[in-house]
Amino acid sequence: MKLVTGKHWEAFADENAILFPEYRKNRDELIELVGSLKGNETVVTSSLELIDLIANRFRKGEDNVLIYSDTGKSLTLKEVYELRKYLDFDVRDGFSGENAETSILFVEGKTDSKFFKAIFKKLFGFRESRNPPYSLRFIERVFERDNFDLLKREEDGRYVAVIPSEGNSGVIRNLGNFLRAMEVFDFSLERIGVAIDIDEDREGALASITGKLSGFEHRKTTRGYLIGKTEVIPLIIGLPFGDELIEWKKPTVEDLMLHLIEREGLLERMRPGLRALNESLGRKLKPKEVMYLALSAYGHWGNLEGFYERFVMHSRFRNLKAILREAGLMDSITYLAGWERGR
């Protein structure tokens, strides 16, 4: 199966191609059309709905591809399917030649997203933005659905987008697909941050990133890896937390929050309640359980994501910076924020 899109589709459409079959068809008719395809056709289209239906059906097999006619390069339909499903990426056209001073940060989940969002706001002067810049128009629909946090610093017009994924594997998957999209659609951002948990060890976490980068021409930089005009910055999350009442197993963003609530004095205020619950359950408490208790003790009656953001925003600068430095994250976050320029 070959899907062709972009402005110069005529060069890829022979007499056997199916041209713009979505015209004047409703969704049921499109579903029927896709169901009739055998997989050896060439379909020329500018319809995201039709692309989604075809990518869903033909996402298996390396020969099933979407060709972007403006560059003549292609994505597998599996990559198209994942770009659409996880990033709602516009896989039609309109990005060529774009090189923006914009950073994006892939993180594991929504609590991680709110934690890092608050850091960019608290430490680097970013504010939430409702107007995606031209450089991020290919994921504008994601922002409209509130699937990621878009931030802007007014003094220099810099944007940062914090995009949650589905665990460590989701971060690595999104990184690979995004880099492939930049290659095919001929655009680039300045910096891409990749925030994943250490899990077993730091070397293994870093290897999962470098393994994904092995499919692209890249070179090592002081902070990360350069692919074309885009620098990929690893943020390996891990800061062990020791406490007699809390069961610590492996590093996550929750550990950074544990360190922060301890430095801010909230953990000590909670300690009588933690000890009573520990005795009642007959076991140590898991970090996430402590986070829910901290949410209540802090007087935040929203969800855990909102608590992370609010607590970071109201914490002391020195405490937040100290934890990020101890975790080895401060330099990389500062670089993603573009804070090093002219300061």
Side-chain angles (χ1 to χ4, degrees), residues 280-291:
S280 176
L281 294 174
R283 62 170 175 81
K284 291 184 177 183
L285 301 177
K286 298 176 181 179
K288 184 157 284 188
E289 292 173 330
V290 177
M291 286 296 102

Side-chain angles (χ1 to χ4, degrees), residues 118-150:
I119 287 173
F120 284 116
K121 291 171 65 176
K122 175 82 174 180
L123 300 183
F124 305 110
F126 284 90
R127 295 293 178 264
E128 292 166 67
S129 175
R130 301 299 301 179
N131 300 303
Y134 187 71
S135 60
L136 289 177
R137 65 196 181 283
F138 46 82
I139 50 174
E140 182 173 350
R141 289 182 62 225
V142 185
F143 175 63
E144 290 175 350
R145 287 180 5 187
D146 292 328
N147 280 4
F148 79 85
D149 289 298
L150 180 67

Side-chain angles (χ1 to χ4, degrees), residues 1-27:
M1 170 59 64
K2 288 183 173 57
L3 268 173
V4 178
T5 192
K7 296 183 178 69
H8 306 300
W9 56 268
E10 295 97 336
F12 297 86
D14 56 30
E15 66 271 12
N16 297 318
I18 303 173
L19 304 180
F20 303 104
E22 78 281 0
Y23 182 62
R24 289 184 177 175
K25 289 183 173 64
N26 60 34
R27 182 171 176 82

Side-chain angles (χ1 to χ4, degrees), residues 217-229:
E217 185 176 340
H218 66 280
R219 65 177 178 83
K220 190 78 173 67
T221 66
T222 303
R223 295 177 175 84
Y225 306 88
L226 191 66
I227 299 177
K229 299 177 181 178

Side-chain angles (χ1 to χ4, degrees), residues 3 20-22 30-31 33-34 37 43-45 47-55:
L3 268 173
F20 303 104
E22 78 281 0
L30 290 178
I31 292 173
L33 168 70
V34 173
L37 297 175
V43 179
V44 180
T45 185
S47 166
L48 276 174
E49 184 172 28
L50 184 59
I51 289 172
D52 286 346
L53 290 170
I54 293 176

Side-chain angles (χ1 to χ4, degrees), residues 26-290:
N26 60 34
R27 182 171 176 82
D28 289 339
E29 290 173 310
L30 290 178
I31 292 173
E32 183 179 352
L33 168 70
V34 173
S36 69
L37 297 175
K38 300 183 183 302
N40 58 355
E41 298 89 350
T42 296
V43 179
V44 180
T45 185
S46 59
S47 166
L48 276 174
E49 184 172 28
L50 184 59
I51 289 172
D52 286 346
L53 290 170
I54 293 176
N56 182 57
R57 183 179 172 199
F58 294 100
R59 64 181 182 270
K60 295 181 180 179
E62 293 298 314
D63 294 333
N64 296 325
V65 298
L66 177 141
I67 299 171
Y68 180 49
S69 63
D70 291 30
T71 62
K73 297 179 181 180
S74 64
L75 293 165
T76 67
L77 289 188
K78 179 184 177 183
E79 291 168 333
V80 171
Y81 173 79
E82 291 179 344
L83 281 167
R84 297 290 300 139
K85 179 179 180 181
Y86 299 110
L87 294 174
D88 208 1
F89 192 100
D90 190 333
V91 290
R92 293 173 298 182
D93 62 5
F95 321 132
S96 297
E98 182 69 20
N99 180 30
E101 291 190 358
T102 300
S103 295
I104 63 173
L105 173 61
F106 289 115
V107 299
E108 288 198 22
K110 290 188 176 180
T111 50
D112 301 57
S113 175
K114 300 306 179 186
F115 178 83
F116 283 104
K117 170 189 175 183
I119 287 173
F120 284 116
K121 291 171 65 176
K122 175 82 174 180
L123 300 183
F124 305 110
F126 284 90
R127 295 293 178 264
E128 292 166 67
S129 175
R130 301 299 301 179
N131 300 303
Y134 187 71
S135 60
L136 289 177
R137 65 196 181 283
F138 46 82
I139 50 174
E140 182 173 350
R141 289 182 62 225
V142 185
F143 175 63
E144 290 175 350
R145 287 180 5 187
D146 292 328
N147 280 4
F148 79 85
D149 289 298
L150 180 67
L151 305 172
K152 180 182 182 182
R153 187 167 53 222
E154 292 296 339
E155 65 181 86
D156 58 6
R158 187 178 186 87
Y159 284 89
V160 171
V162 185
I163 304 176
S165 306
E166 296 179 348
N168 272 4
S169 60
V171 171
I172 301 303
R173 177 201 62 229
N174 283 342
L175 170 66
N177 287 336
F178 200 88
L179 291 173
R180 285 281 296 123
M182 290 197 304
E183 185 177 70
V184 170
F185 294 108
D186 187 30
F187 74 94
S188 64
L189 302 181
E190 189 178 25
R191 295 163 189 172
I192 297 177
V194 187
I196 61 173
D197 297 338
I198 285 180
D199 281 343
E200 300 302 326
D201 58 76
R202 182 175 293 273
E203 290 72 22
L206 188 59
S208 68
I209 297 174
T210 57
K212 184 60 68 174
L213 298 182
S214 65
F216 304 89
E217 185 176 340
H218 66 280
R219 65 177 178 83
K220 190 78 173 67
T221 66
T222 303
R223 295 177 175 84
Y225 306 88
L226 191 66
I227 299 177
K229 299 177 181 178
T230 301
E231 194 167 8
V232 176
I233 311 298
L235 283 79
I236 310 301
I237 300 170
L239 188 62
F241 186 84
D243 190 278
E244 61 179 2
L245 301 176
I246 301 172
E247 181 183 22
W248 184 87
K249 288 187 176 180
K250 62 179 184 179
T252 65
V253 164
E254 287 159 5
D255 299 330
L256 302 180
M257 283 293 294
L258 284 173
H259 281 280
L260 190 57
I261 67 172
E262 181 183 46
R263 284 178 180 263
E264 290 289 308
L266 180 59
L267 188 63
E268 195 58 36
R269 299 202 326 254
M270 294 167 53
R271 194 162 293 281
L274 295 179
R275 187 170 287 109
L277 188 56
N278 181 285
E279 293 174 358
S280 176
L281 294 174
R283 62 170 175 81
K284 291 184 177 183
L285 301 177
K286 298 176 181 179
K288 184 157 284 188
E289 292 173 330
V290 177

